[in-house]
Amino acid sequence: MKSQIKIRLAIFAAVVFITILTGQVMALEAPTNPVSSPEPNGCGSDRTINISWDAPDAGTTGIEGYSVFWDEQSQTIPSENVIVTQPQTITCLGNGTSHYVHIRAKDEDGNWSETLHVGPFCIEDKEYEIPGDINDDEALNLTDAMLGLKLTAAMELSNETIHLNADVNKDEVIGLAEVIYILKRISGLIFLPGDCLRPEEAKLGSLINEYRQENDLDPLLFSKSLTQTAQQHLIDLHENEPEEGCSQHSWSDQGDWTSVCDTGALETWNLMQIKPCEITYGIYPAEGYEVAYDNKEEQATAEVAIKYLTESDDHKTVILQQGNWSQLPSWAVMGVGLYEHHAVIWFGTEADPQGTIEPCQ
């Protein structure tokens, strides 16, 4: 036994001596034991992926953070940029059968580890329910209103399909409330997030573009997906005020998205950036970046919001992509939302598959 210990000590001493002599550093192994929800190698409609892993052994040095990269290749090596500081991340994926995540660790001496590859993850379409679509034909029109009136009057139906998920007020009854909602929607009296730009929103977007052009930058297209995200966020902020310590970039737990109390940390920013993907059910899978204005004392307007955003260093550097923001690809599109006491602008580096959005008529 004593001889074995002496041999091990001798080997250890030799490794240390050679390392010191040659200046070489022992390779940092890849992270291990990935755990994800949902798990890889199966298809489902849950496109928000939460994954954690065990940190590699860095001895007394410690781990500074991790580079995390998603794509559809199985052996990609991520860049040498710390994305998260904790051994976990959350992302949102578009439809596809071969999504992979690649993870590298960086120790506090600046050494990068080997890469952990996890996947494939398979994402399928999630069926989107259109409120008021009584006949389930993926459209809202007078046919739905007529069906609703027949049900309200207890008239006999002849082979018509009745879609119970069309219930708009969650009373488990298809009737007069649905008819009123349908008529308001098709007449333009009710707008849903992503339908159109309201006058003050269109004005704020134009002012953002004027400000960019004054600084020799191109104007941005108004994105339907990012405007849908912005307008949905405004409703959430108005109805569910963030708790103390949570910024205006926070999202509540009252919707079909991942809730987040944004504190400015890398991990909470990651949860904010995946919102366009979550809100559009993967149609806009790229990350989004938001600037926000709020004033509980008065109604938000385009003029007040642009003044605040362009006089704030933290916000104007995003709009103009200065400082750290210049490291990202150029902004390609933006989405605008303004409601009650809040205004938000979302920026994206990729074109919108849903195209542009028009002003409300």
Side-chain angles (χ1 to χ4, degrees):
M1 178 65 71
K2 289 183 179 180
S3 61
Q4 290 179 342
I5 293 175
K6 288 181 179 179
I7 292 172
R8 289 176 181 173
L9 287 173
I11 293 173
F12 176 77
V15 170
V16 171
F17 176 75
I18 293 171
T19 300
I20 294 173
L21 185 66
T22 63
Q24 294 178 345
V25 178
M26 299 296 288
L28 187 63
E29 295 183 354
T32 57
N33 301 324
V35 177
S36 66
S37 176
E39 296 180 349
N41 300 308
C43 281
S45 60
D46 186 355
R47 62 183 67 255
T48 301
I49 311 295
N50 191 334
I51 183 167
S52 61
W53 57 87
D54 289 345
D57 183 7
T60 59
T61 304
I63 298 296
E64 177 183 328
Y66 303 87
S67 179
V68 179
F69 185 71
W70 288 85
D71 65 6
E72 295 187 354
Q73 306 296 322
S74 63
Q75 298 295 315
T76 300
I77 306 300
S79 65
E80 295 185 353
N81 293 300
V82 171
I83 304 299
V84 295
T85 57
Q86 300 299 317
Q88 64 180 61
T89 189
I90 294 179
T91 196
C92 176
L93 301 174
N95 295 336
T97 60
S98 58
H99 296 286
Y100 290 84
V101 62
H102 315 279
I103 305 163
R104 298 175 73 188
K106 180 184 180 183
D107 67 23
E108 292 178 350
D109 285 340
N111 303 306
W112 284 92
S113 75
E114 299 297 320
T115 302
L116 168 67
H117 307 282
V118 186
F121 293 87
C122 174
I123 308 299
E124 298 176 325
D125 277 324
K126 180 176 182 178
E127 184 177 350
Y128 174 66
E129 306 289 352
I130 300 176
D133 182 17
I134 298 175
N135 65 353
D136 197 24
D137 65 351
E138 299 184 358
L140 203 61
N141 49 45
L142 286 174
T143 301
D144 297 300
M146 292 298 296
L147 276 175
L149 287 172
K150 287 182 178 181
L151 290 168
T152 302
M155 295 175 62
E156 183 176 347
L157 303 178
S158 56
N159 299 322
E160 286 101 335
T161 298
I162 303 300
H163 187 50
L164 297 180
N165 287 340
D167 179 12
V168 299
N169 58 352
K170 307 306 177 185
D171 64 353
E172 300 182 358
V173 175
I174 303 296
L176 190 58
E178 283 66 38
V179 173
I180 294 172
Y181 173 83
I182 293 165
L183 293 175
K184 285 185 174 180
R185 280 282 288 136
I186 63 180
S187 64
L189 295 177
I190 295 178
F191 295 103
L192 294 182
D195 278 352
C196 57
L197 282 168
R198 291 165 291 208
E200 282 295 301
E201 292 170 333
K203 183 177 180 180
L204 178 56
S206 295
L207 290 172
I208 290 288
N209 274 336
E210 288 177 13
Y211 179 64
R212 285 176 54 84
Q213 288 177 297
E214 289 170 2
N215 287 272
D216 300 321
L217 295 173
D218 292 332
L220 300 174
L221 296 173
F222 295 148
S223 156
K224 182 177 179 64
S225 293
L226 293 186
T227 296
Q228 180 182 349
T229 305
Q231 292 174 342
Q232 184 65 68
H233 195 195
L234 290 176
I235 294 172
D236 187 47
L237 287 171
H238 180 67
E239 296 180 351
N240 306 287
E241 185 70 21
E243 297 178 359
E244 184 176 353
C246 304
S247 80
Q248 294 298 306
H249 299 300
S250 302
W251 291 69
S252 76
D253 60 359
Q254 299 300 306
D256 193 13
W257 53 72
T258 306
S259 63
V260 54
C261 166
D262 178 60
T263 60
L266 276 174
E267 285 73 21
T268 56
W269 270 84
N270 175 245
L271 285 171
M272 182 270 286
Q273 292 165 354
I274 67 173
K275 286 298 171 286
C277 175
E278 291 187 319
I279 297 301
T280 65
Y281 296 100
I283 294 176
Y284 191 87
E287 293 181 339
Y289 308 88
E290 181 187 49
V291 294
Y293 161 82
D294 75 294
N295 186 335
K296 298 178 178 61
E297 304 300 323
E298 61 183 9
Q299 174 77 34
T301 65
E303 294 286 354
V304 171
I306 192 66
K307 185 176 187 298
Y308 169 81
L309 293 172
T310 56
E311 290 181 354
S312 163
D313 288 340
D314 288 341
H315 295 89
K316 71 181 182 182
T317 54
V318 180
I319 298 170
L320 302 178
Q321 271 199 280
Q322 297 174 339
N324 291 335
W325 298 100
S326 65
Q327 299 176 22
L328 293 171
S330 298
W331 298 150
V333 291
M334 71 172 166
V336 186
L338 191 151
Y339 180 70
E340 295 291 340
H341 307 291
H342 305 277
V344 298
I345 314 290
W346 281 78
F347 298 95
T349 61
E350 296 187 12
D352 186 355
Q354 294 197 85
T356 57
I357 189 167
E358 299 297 327
C360 301
Q361 300 299 319

